[in-house]
Amino acid sequence: MAQKQHIVIFTTASLPWMTGTAVNPLFRAAYLAKNSDRDVTLVIPWLSLKDQVLVYPNKIMFSSLVEHEAYVHWWLKEKADVISGFKITFYPGKFSKEKRSILPVGDITETIPDEVADIAILEEPEHLTWYHHGRRWKTKFRKVIGVVHTNYLEYVKREKNGQIQAFLLKYVNSWVIQIYCHKVVRLSAATQDLPRSIICNVHGVNPKFLEVGQMKHGLIVEGDQKAFSKCSYFIGKMVWSKGYTELLQLLSHHQNELSDLQVDIYGNGEDFDDVKKSFSKLTLGVRIYPGHDHVDSLFHDYKVFINPSTTDVVCTTTAEALAMGKIVICANHPSNEFFRQFPNCHMYNTSNEFVQLTLRAIVEEPLPLTDDLRHALSWEAATERFVEAAELNEAIQEKTLLSPKPLLQMSSDDWRKSVEEASAFLHNTVSGIEVARCAFGAIPETLQPDEQLCKELGLGFPEHKMFFGH
């Protein structure tokens, strides 16, 4: 009998934070685990209460790992009607206010016993390895696959001295991924080119969105003229870089042509007040609302989803809108390439094209999704694409350590491995120096979990814990 695959998925966020790196790895774990030949573990960050307050919405808090784990499984069953046999475990994390991200604390490879360390999937591999200090991922696991979710370069370019920061970050990302990943899946060409990478959208949508789309299609077939009774909307985290800058520019430059357009905007985020103030100056009918779950019934009757964002890698909300049978207006951009196959997705190159497509969408009806297109949006199809792109069904070599050879006997492959080992040793050394870590943006004192995190995670708290492996 073939040996059962042990797959461990590490990600950088967790529910109830409704971000892509919380939701998509959760679905990946659930659908990979549906194959009985795979034993799947999802490893998510655990935050202390002081960080939970900053990150989790609606005052949701967890006093124990058991509570948090139960919530994740409850959400999957309640919000997606998905039941799966994957396991959940936790690694210590801390929230960076500056980066608006959760960063790992200590050597998170230690969360997995060596005997089941076969395949590791790193969701956001650069994020998980920037400050990694400890055992080398490729030494711990037989195969390490990175899934690139975020276009960090695009975000950084919008900051002060952004071009310089993006230049440096580009090479740091390539460096750490070369060291720690055997293969990388880039969701779209919107991300930077990376070593050993392949472009493939390996995300799907919550099956609830497809159910909404089928229901709307049924109403249209029956001749219901009010299948879509509302005009247009946008939904997204309310920070300017998530498409709000582009949307404001498009609407403000074409207020006369779009005078009859009604746009409702939904989102939560640190720029909420500023966004609301800026859009209120328009003469158009624009209304700003707090964020809601996109599958909420209040979105079902909107016909047109407008999404001008170009910072996403593959926009989850665009996929969800298409699954619900809506018309989507979006930019002709590499991040939207996967959606080009959908007749209801209209892409613009200029602001004038945006106006023309929007006015046309207001008066036309969406086309029904074919079975093939509906399947393409599903997590079943996304999992099939992932298995192929990550080559999960190919044989995995045994973990080996590089043994020294005389210089004249070394092949080009041996040289490459030696250089990579030296590079990994350098990264491990630098990442173990507190001053260097902080200089590159790490949270201070995150070389190992503090006493509080150790207590909450049930770990022993050593007075002087050192990491030497790589």
Side-chain angles (χ1 to χ4, degrees):
M1 293 179 64
Q3 185 179 0
K4 192 169 188 176
Q5 281 187 332
H6 292 274
I7 299 177
V8 185
I9 302 174
F10 292 84
T11 190
T12 56
S14 174
L15 299 176
W17 193 11
M18 291 297 295
T19 187
T21 52
V23 175
N24 290 311
L26 173 60
F27 278 111
R28 193 173 340 277
Y31 280 82
L32 281 172
K34 286 189 173 184
N35 185 328
S36 58
D37 294 334
R38 302 188 184 107
D39 183 10
V40 180
T41 301
L42 177 65
V43 189
I44 57 179
W46 168 261
L47 298 177
S48 291
L49 290 176
K50 62 181 180 181
D51 279 342
Q52 290 185 36
V53 172
L54 299 174
V55 178
Y56 298 150
N58 304 321
K59 298 181 180 179
I60 300 174
M61 307 274 280
F62 308 106
S63 59
S64 70
L65 306 181
V66 174
E67 272 187 40
H68 195 166
E69 180 180 357
Y71 178 88
V72 173
H73 282 295
W74 169 85
W75 185 93
L76 197 60
K77 174 65 175 70
E78 183 71 18
K79 301 296 185 180
D81 200 22
V82 173
I83 300 175
S84 181
F86 69 96
K87 297 183 287 291
I88 294 177
T89 191
F90 297 84
Y91 67 80
K94 286 193 174 182
F95 181 66
S96 168
K97 292 181 183 179
E98 179 184 333
K99 292 181 172 59
R100 298 295 304 170
S101 298
I102 299 170
L103 295 173
V105 177
D107 180 6
I108 66 174
T109 68
E110 293 182 345
T111 59
I112 301 301
D114 286 357
E115 57 268 23
V116 293
D118 292 334
I119 301 172
I121 299 171
L122 306 186
E123 309 274 355
E124 291 200 301
E126 65 277 65
H127 186 141
L128 288 168
T129 57
W130 283 327
Y131 311 113
H132 177 69
H133 180 71
R135 195 165 176 189
R136 188 181 173 197
W137 289 93
K138 285 183 180 178
T139 304
K140 172 83 175 192
F141 294 90
R142 290 180 174 85
K143 188 170 188 175
V144 182
I145 302 154
V147 181
V148 177
H149 288 245
T150 307
N151 191 351
Y152 284 110
L153 300 187
E154 187 62 34
Y155 287 120
V156 167
K157 286 177 184 177
R158 300 179 181 221
E159 298 177 359
K160 186 178 180 180
N161 300 319
Q163 293 297 329
I164 297 174
Q165 289 189 64
F167 176 81
L168 295 173
L169 183 61
K170 178 181 178 181
Y171 287 96
V172 171
N173 287 346
S174 294
W175 183 37
V176 294
I177 286 176
Q178 176 82 21
I179 293 169
Y180 294 118
C181 294
H182 293 105
K183 192 170 185 68
V184 176
V185 179
R186 298 161 55 203
L187 299 177
S188 77
T191 59
Q192 71 177 88
D193 192 16
L194 291 165
R196 308 185 187 107
S197 67
I198 183 174
I199 296 173
C200 183
N201 176 23
V202 293
H203 287 175
V205 301
N206 183 332
K208 293 287 187 181
F209 290 102
L210 293 167
E211 291 176 10
V212 174
Q214 287 182 309
M215 179 266 291
K216 289 294 181 182
H217 174 59
L219 292 176
I220 292 173
V221 169
E222 293 171 4
D224 189 333
Q225 299 299 314
K226 295 185 177 180
F228 294 100
S229 57
K230 298 179 183 178
C231 189
S232 61
Y233 76 108
F234 175 58
I235 182 173
K237 184 179 179 182
M238 207 163 280
V239 292
W240 283 109
S241 59
K242 283 288 189 178
Y244 290 92
T245 298
E246 292 86 346
L247 183 59
L248 181 62
Q249 290 173 346
L250 288 167
L251 296 181
S252 62
H253 291 166
H254 298 280
Q255 294 188 75
N256 292 333
E257 300 100 304
L258 298 172
S259 58
D260 294 331
L261 181 68
Q262 173 66 54
V263 183
D264 294 341
I265 300 175
Y266 296 84
N268 296 319
E270 50 265 39
D271 293 334
F272 183 92
D273 292 336
D274 194 23
V275 167
K276 188 172 184 178
K277 180 180 178 181
S278 298
F279 277 88
S280 69
K281 297 176 182 178
L282 300 177
T283 58
L284 298 173
V286 178
R287 297 177 293 199
I288 308 293
Y289 298 101
H292 291 267
D293 191 329
H294 199 188
V295 80
D296 194 296
S297 60
L298 72 87
F299 295 109
H300 294 182
D301 293 338
Y302 285 101
K303 184 172 70 171
V304 181
F305 178 62
I306 298 174
N307 184 10
S309 175
T310 56
T311 56
D312 293 295
V313 175
V314 171
C315 187
T316 301
T317 51
T318 294
E320 293 166 348
L322 288 170
M324 288 192 284
K326 304 179 188 303
I327 296 172
V328 170
I329 309 295
C330 63
N332 186 5
H333 186 264
S335 62
N336 294 320
E337 185 62 32
F338 178 79
F339 305 121
R340 194 179 296 278
Q341 61 186 303
F342 294 87
N344 287 331
C345 183
H346 305 324
M347 298 184 184
Y348 61 87
N349 292 292
T350 66
S351 63
N352 287 330
E353 283 187 15
F354 167 80
V355 173
Q356 294 169 11
L357 291 173
T358 302
L359 292 176
R360 193 174 80 194
I362 293 172
V363 297
E364 70 181 15
E365 291 300 319
L367 296 172
L369 280 177
T370 64
D371 290 341
D372 286 344
L373 290 177
R374 186 178 293 108
H375 178 69
L377 290 168
S378 71
W379 266 105
E380 285 86 357
T383 304
E384 293 166 6
R385 295 192 295 266
F386 178 77
V387 168
E388 182 177 355
E391 300 171 343
L392 286 188
N393 290 332
E394 293 189 6
I396 302 174
Q397 294 182 346
E398 291 295 314
K399 288 179 275 190
T400 57
L401 295 176
L402 188 67
S403 55
K405 291 183 180 180
L407 292 178
L408 295 178
Q409 295 181 18
M410 292 180 68
S411 66
S412 59
D413 191 49
D414 292 331
W415 275 106
R416 181 189 61 77
K417 289 180 180 178
S418 295
V419 170
E420 192 175 291
E421 286 284 327
S423 188
F425 179 78
L426 174 62
H427 182 266
N428 191 66
T429 301
V430 173
S431 65
I433 302 170
E434 181 70 11
V435 174
R437 290 171 63 84
C438 293
F440 285 101
I443 300 173
E445 299 181 0
T446 53
L447 262 172
Q448 63 186 50
D450 57 30
E451 189 171 3
Q452 182 62 32
L453 273 173
C454 286
K455 181 180 178 181
E456 293 169 352
L457 287 161
L459 305 173
F461 179 63
E463 292 296 324
H464 300 285
K465 185 174 181 180
M466 299 295 291
F467 295 104
F468 296 101
H470 64 280

